């Protein structure tokens, strides 16, 4: 299988999956109990948006060290989302 060359952050599978997660979070917090729990809903949305955003921002940096730092921030946001989902349950 031939791999596509990664030229932009949009080519990164991890970024694409992050965007899919954001879509799911927004869909699931649009209605029902979570839609009325403004604090939890907004924190969940912000944390999920932070994942692909930090991946993109890191990709655009000039050094590998900075890129890795942004990936660590994205990973931290993923942990925050997991924790918030447990709270929501």
């Amino acid at each position: 299988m031939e791999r596509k060359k990664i030229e932009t952050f949009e080519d990164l599978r991890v970024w694409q999956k992050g965007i899919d997660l954001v879509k799911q979070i927004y869909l699931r917090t649009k209605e029902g109990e979570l839609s009325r729990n403004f604090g939890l809903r907004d924190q969940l949305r912000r944390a999920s948006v932070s994942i692909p955003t930090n991946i993109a921002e890191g990709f655009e940096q000039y050094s590998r060290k900075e890129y890795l730092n942004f990936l660590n921030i994205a990973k931290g946001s993923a942990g925050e989302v997991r924790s918030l989902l447990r709270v929501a349950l």
Side-chain angles (χ1 to χ4, degrees), residues 18-30 48:
I19 291 297
D20 290 342
L21 175 66
V22 172
K23 288 177 187 174
Q24 287 300 314
I25 294 292
Y26 269 77
L27 280 173
R28 304 217 189 290
T29 59
K30 188 169 74 171
S48 68

Side-chain angles (χ1 to χ4, degrees), residues 66-89:
E66 287 180 88
Y67 182 32
L68 292 174
N69 184 47
F70 278 96
L71 291 180
N72 277 324
I73 295 168
K75 186 177 185 313
S77 295
E80 183 179 2
V81 168
R82 286 197 329 267
S83 179
L84 290 166
L85 288 172
R86 296 261 175 137
V87 170
L89 292 174

Side-chain angles (χ1 to χ4, degrees), residues 9-63:
F9 64 81
E10 290 96 342
D11 296 330
L12 295 169
R13 224 154 141 213
V14 67
W15 180 85
Q16 294 166 9
K17 289 188 176 285
I19 291 297
D20 290 342
L21 175 66
V22 172
K23 288 177 187 174
Q24 287 300 314
I25 294 292
Y26 269 77
L27 280 173
R28 304 217 189 290
T29 59
K30 188 169 74 171
E31 297 174 356
E33 196 173 317
L34 266 178
S35 70
R36 294 182 295 277
N37 187 334
F38 301 116
L40 184 56
R41 180 199 67 196
D42 292 345
Q43 187 64 26
L44 194 49
R45 286 178 172 185
R46 281 193 306 275
S48 68
V49 167
S50 179
I51 298 168
T53 302
N54 277 293
I55 292 167
E57 190 171 353
F59 186 87
E60 297 294 329
Q61 298 298 315
Y62 290 106
S63 78

